Amino acid sequence: MSTGGPPTIVSIAERAGVSIASVSRVLNGLGGRPETEDRVRRAAAELGYVPNAVARSLKGGHTRQLTFAVPDIGNPVYVAMVREIQAVAKAAGYRLLLHSTGADVAEEIGVVRSLADRTSDGLVLVPIRITPGHTAALTAAPGPVVVIGSLPDDVPVDAVQADSVTGAALAVHHLVGTGRRRIAFVNGPVDTVPGRNRARGYRGALAACGIPYDPGLVAATDFGVRAGARAAARLLDERPGLDAVFCANDQLAIGAAQALHARGWRIPEDAAVAGMDDSDLAVAAWPPLTSVDLGAGERGRRAARMLLERLGQKDGDPVPARRTTATPRLVVRGSTSPGAAPAGSDEQEGARSA
């Protein structure tokens, strides 16, 4: 009898006293005589045999696994997305693999190319930058991909987008409507898609309201709480007359609120604060944070469904790349309006064009 190493169909055949072909048929679900099946399964259990899932997926052509690749698994926005993607995947009989890319371009491109390894049937990718390397990899992707984010029209990949331009404009219009005129803007990196689009919405809304753009009221930093606090502190030093801070995400807004609290400023009496994403952080903040809901969960759900539709598509029935956009909503809370509804309730303004 063979000894050493993990159990194989050879060692199982020796233990069961049957042919290798019989073992192969039983383990691959092709059946056999009841007595043979019983001997093979008993021998496999005694030897601790575990089927090689990767090898079986290569043979069968599918893994029943999907991959979700995000820049930062700690960001509440991506947590909201993964909840919805997981629910859709599970209902369809798929497992979900989570991959944190750190927003590294090479890592994101590598995840797309890794579909050739056939350890996953499809990919939902969230890049915050789109480079020529991205477009080349996505165009030549060896398996189905859905991007949550904006893509050039000539990239033949499905995408679910957020309307950050309109969303940022909603927040600025709201702040102006509460009497603010010196509205600072704390943005994320301007070389990212969210950073560019949210800056466009901010400037467009100011222009629509007849308020001159002041570059001294704008700061760009990383998308994080500490970065937001540092950026807001600099703005307060340089523009002590500001009366509102609009931030490109809720993490930045929480940081900005911390900077205001540290100086004894009252929110919203001395300065209002608004964010974007309407994440769990917005409700947990004090005062509760006014924020733009960009439909993170909805985008995740749409992306998962689009990916499953691609996986169910027949090879001879090609469907052009699809684009869909989630509609933003402004959720007003106490950080901009003292009389706003308490945390957990939604007083919402519908989307409007900047």
Side-chain angles (χ1 to χ4, degrees):
M1 181 177 293
S2 299
T3 60
T8 65
I9 61 172
V10 174
S11 58
I12 293 172
E14 292 176 348
R15 172 68 69 93
V18 300
S19 68
I20 294 173
S22 294
V23 174
S24 179
R25 283 196 298 271
V26 172
L27 295 181
N28 283 288
L30 300 178
R33 290 186 301 175
E35 180 185 355
T36 301
E37 287 192 30
D38 182 65
R39 291 167 67 179
V40 169
R41 296 189 190 285
R42 188 168 58 250
E46 290 171 354
L47 292 171
Y49 176 76
V50 178
N52 186 325
V54 173
R56 292 183 65 179
S57 70
L58 290 172
K59 181 177 180 180
H62 59 83
T63 66
R64 306 301 295 181
Q65 295 187 150
L66 305 176
T67 298
F68 180 42
V70 298
D72 176 11
I73 58 175
N75 188 316
V77 173
Y78 303 135
V79 174
M81 289 180 181
V82 77
R83 287 194 191 110
E84 296 299 324
I85 294 172
Q86 168 72 14
V88 174
K90 184 177 180 180
Y94 283 83
R95 293 180 296 271
L96 186 64
L97 307 177
L98 186 60
H99 187 110
S100 183
T101 65
D104 182 80
V105 171
E107 187 80 6
E108 291 168 347
I109 292 171
V111 173
V112 175
R113 291 175 175 165
S114 72
L115 287 171
D117 298 339
R118 299 176 68 182
T119 54
S120 177
D121 294 337
L123 168 68
V124 177
L125 175 68
V126 187
I128 61 173
R129 296 174 178 85
I130 295 295
T131 68
H134 282 99
T135 58
L138 289 167
T139 300
V145 181
V146 177
V147 167
I148 299 181
S150 300
L151 283 178
D153 291 338
D154 59 349
V155 177
V157 169
D158 297 327
V160 182
Q161 304 169 121
D163 188 353
S164 292
V165 177
T166 298
L170 282 172
V172 174
H173 278 289
H174 167 69
L175 291 168
V176 172
T178 62
R180 272 74 181 192
R181 292 296 181 273
R182 300 279 292 165
I183 302 171
F185 177 41
V186 179
N187 197 7
V190 294
D191 66 333
T192 65
V193 174
R196 287 194 300 270
N197 288 341
R198 294 168 200 198
R200 284 177 54 204
Y202 168 77
R203 294 192 64 163
L206 289 179
C209 294
I211 299 175
Y213 173 74
D214 180 357
L217 283 170
V218 177
T221 184
D222 296 327
F223 286 116
V225 174
R226 292 181 180 178
R230 289 192 296 267
R234 290 196 302 271
L235 289 171
L236 289 168
D237 288 338
E238 297 167 6
R239 293 290 194 275
L242 64 82
D243 57 15
V245 184
F246 167 55
C247 298
N249 74 359
D250 289 345
Q251 291 171 294
L252 291 170
I254 296 296
Q258 290 176 352
L260 289 167
H261 286 311
R263 294 173 183 237
W265 287 45
R266 297 168 302 161
I267 302 172
E269 291 82 2
D270 298 325
V273 180
M276 293 190 77
D277 291 328
D278 194 33
S279 66
D280 291 343
L281 292 175
V283 178
W286 187 257
L289 181 66
T290 291
S291 187
V292 178
D293 181 358
L294 293 173
E298 177 63 22
R299 283 181 283 153
R301 186 162 52 250
R302 290 189 196 182
R305 289 172 177 169
M306 292 170 78
L307 184 58
L308 291 174
E309 288 168 6
R310 284 292 179 192
L311 289 169
Q313 179 185 322
K314 296 179 180 179
D315 293 337
D317 186 24
V319 176
R322 298 162 293 178
R323 301 285 190 271
T324 182
T325 303
T327 301
R329 298 179 300 166
L330 179 68
V331 183
V332 179
R333 298 190 179 95
S335 68
T336 61
S337 298
S345 61
D346 292 346
E347 178 191 335
Q348 299 174 335
E349 296 185 12
R352 64 179 174 229
S353 299

